[in-house]
Amino acid sequence: MLIHVVKSKIHRVKCTGADLNYIGSITIDQDLMDAANIIEGEKVQIVNNNNGERIETYAIPGPRNSGEITLNGAAARRVAKGDILILITYAIMELEEAKSFKPALVFPNEENNLLN
């Protein structure tokens, strides 16, 4: 049996921008992507703590040590700059593997989105 499990989570980051005219995706500081083991193009679920929205898109790397978290394209309509977001990725694995799998959980500084 295959099941979906949390692969990585970036917990409580502040949205730094919303670019409606970009072709889509979420731009994430490369340092945060590395810490959370998220790769370019990976599917990401965005949970907006301010309005309850849940959005799915794909990750693109932003400048390192920038704290950038920008929703691009249509997803930009679902956030406002300053909203608190949780970013989650999932993996599909065998049940036995999932029992011992440990996700990458990242808790950046909520004020600037940087790693402490």
Side-chain angles (χ1 to χ4, degrees):
M1 175 185 348
L2 297 175
I3 64 169
H4 291 254
V5 297
V6 173
K7 179 185 133 307
S8 52
K9 179 167 90 165
I10 302 174
H11 191 73
R12 295 185 62 84
V13 286
K14 192 178 295 185
C15 179
T16 60
D19 186 354
L20 183 61
N21 296 312
Y22 192 86
I23 299 175
S25 68
I26 181 171
T27 305
I28 305 170
D29 178 322
Q30 182 70 61
D31 288 337
L32 293 175
M33 287 179 63
D34 291 349
N37 197 25
I38 297 172
I39 64 168
E40 184 172 359
E42 185 170 356
K43 183 178 176 180
V44 177
Q45 181 181 52
I46 300 107
V47 179
N48 187 329
N49 281 7
N50 291 74
N51 63 19
E53 292 279 354
R54 288 181 174 256
I55 309 158
E56 289 184 345
T57 189
Y58 61 92
I60 61 172
R64 287 187 180 281
N65 203 39
S66 65
E68 182 176 0
I69 302 290
T70 300
L71 272 290
N72 303 306
R77 293 192 182 276
R78 303 292 187 195
V79 299
K81 186 175 179 179
D83 282 357
I84 299 300
L85 311 175
I86 298 171
L87 313 180
I88 308 165
T89 66
Y90 300 90
I92 300 171
M93 60 186 70
E94 293 286 343
L95 180 61
E96 287 307 311
E97 180 185 5
K99 288 179 180 179
S100 61
F101 178 77
K102 301 293 183 222
L105 306 176
V106 178
F107 300 89
N109 181 313
E110 281 188 48
E111 293 304 310
N112 58 17
N113 296 339
L114 299 179
L115 298 170
N116 295 329

